[in-house]
Amino acid sequence: MRLDKFLCKSTELTRAAATECIELGAVSVNEQTITESRFQVHENNSVVWQGERLVARPSRYIMLHKPLNTLSSNVDGDYPSLFHCIDIERAEDLHIVGRLDADTSGLVLLTDDGRWSFEIIRPEKQCPKTYRVTLRDPIDDDVAAKFLAGVQLQNESQLTAPAQLKLVTKNEVLLTITEGRYHQVKRMFAAVGNRVNGLHREQIGSLTLDVELGLWRYLTPQEVADFL
């Protein structure tokens, strides 16, 4: 963890104030003064500020049911930030693990544990994500086989990784992918001549969305561990 972030997680300092303290030489790690905010702190390090050894608050892991027309961002833009749905202290310390477009609803994970989120989003992990997709046109019978083999997205040279398609109705499917390319689901269906009219993420890894629209809950220790 970065030293400035560690200070924020173990004190009431803002990120700017933590950075200032570090640059002024007021923080030591293992009895060595550190003036670089990006310095990496490990679990067994002794971090001291104002004569006191600091202990970071426990990390938080949250499932949120993102509504439509909200942004996967810490700040408002053309639409309000999804952080308006989360009523906890120091929500600004959280970051989003795998963003959704404004016009997409469903499961979003948030945490202040950067190592945990990296384990989910790094490409080598191939963490599956399942979407319920509503389509403009009835789906062709050969699309499942095409997605399993990989399709060519516009302006990309590499085929998509194998994806699983399950038919719900002729205009609604469940799609499971293991990548996170830009607008990937929409572009996959565009590649086979269809259009996504509605998109909702139901599952990430073994975690299935189980809270009502706009609400959230903390993950259990076992749910957190399942991603490691």
Side-chain angles (χ1 to χ4, degrees):
M1 182 187 305
R2 284 172 51 127
L3 182 55
D4 54 355
K5 185 174 181 181
F6 182 89
L7 255 66
C8 292
K9 286 196 67 173
S10 55
T11 70
E12 296 304 316
L13 293 173
T14 64
R15 180 63 70 88
T19 297
E20 183 178 8
C21 286
I22 295 167
E23 292 177 348
L24 289 174
V27 181
S28 67
V29 180
N30 296 337
E31 301 183 352
Q32 179 182 353
T33 299
I34 303 297
T35 57
E36 174 54 59
S37 296
R38 296 176 178 270
F39 184 84
Q40 290 295 312
V41 177
H42 302 284
E43 294 175 359
N44 61 344
N45 289 161
S46 173
V47 181
V48 175
W49 174 62
Q50 294 186 335
E52 179 182 355
R53 180 170 179 173
L54 303 180
V55 178
R57 290 182 290 272
S59 295
R60 296 171 291 178
Y61 309 89
I62 289 173
M63 168 197 294
L64 169 70
H65 188 160
K66 177 189 176 296
L68 290 172
N69 300 323
T70 57
L71 295 179
S72 293
S73 169
N74 294 65
V75 296
D76 295 338
D78 293 336
Y79 297 101
S81 163
L82 60 78
F83 274 81
H84 289 291
C85 299
I86 303 173
D87 52 348
I88 59 176
E89 293 183 358
R90 302 185 72 92
E92 66 275 7
D93 291 345
L94 300 170
H95 61 268
I96 300 165
V97 187
R99 299 169 182 269
L100 291 178
D101 295 337
D103 61 356
T104 303
S105 62
L107 174 56
V108 169
L109 298 177
L110 302 101
T111 186
D112 49 12
D113 183 346
R115 183 171 59 178
W116 183 77
S117 60
F118 178 71
E119 283 299 311
I120 297 173
I121 64 174
R122 64 186 179 95
E124 298 84 1
K125 189 73 172 183
Q126 295 188 329
C127 180
K129 298 165 285 287
T130 299
Y131 296 83
R132 184 173 293 269
V133 188
T134 304
L135 299 167
R136 177 193 62 194
D137 304 320
I139 193 163
D140 294 332
D141 294 336
D142 61 350
V143 172
K146 288 181 178 178
F147 281 3
L148 190 60
V151 295
Q152 188 82 51
L153 301 183
Q154 188 175 14
N155 299 324
E156 293 201 24
S157 59
Q158 188 173 358
L159 297 180
T160 56
Q164 301 286 335
L165 187 72
K166 179 180 179 182
L167 190 69
V168 179
T169 69
K170 290 297 288 184
N171 288 79
E172 185 177 66
V173 298
L174 294 176
L175 177 66
T176 300
I177 62 175
T178 58
E179 299 176 291
R181 303 193 199 187
Y182 180 71
H183 292 326
Q184 180 169 342
V185 175
K186 297 173 184 176
R187 294 168 68 203
M188 287 178 69
F189 283 98
V192 294
N194 211 326
R195 179 184 174 87
V196 172
N197 283 344
L199 192 56
H200 176 83
R201 185 159 64 195
E202 295 191 345
Q203 189 169 345
I204 300 176
S206 61
L207 190 63
T208 301
L209 183 63
D210 61 6
V211 294
E212 296 298 318
L213 183 67
L215 299 182
W216 63 274
R217 69 169 175 86
Y218 288 111
L219 300 188
T220 67
Q222 183 58 58
E223 289 171 335
V224 173
D226 283 347
F227 287 103
L228 298 176

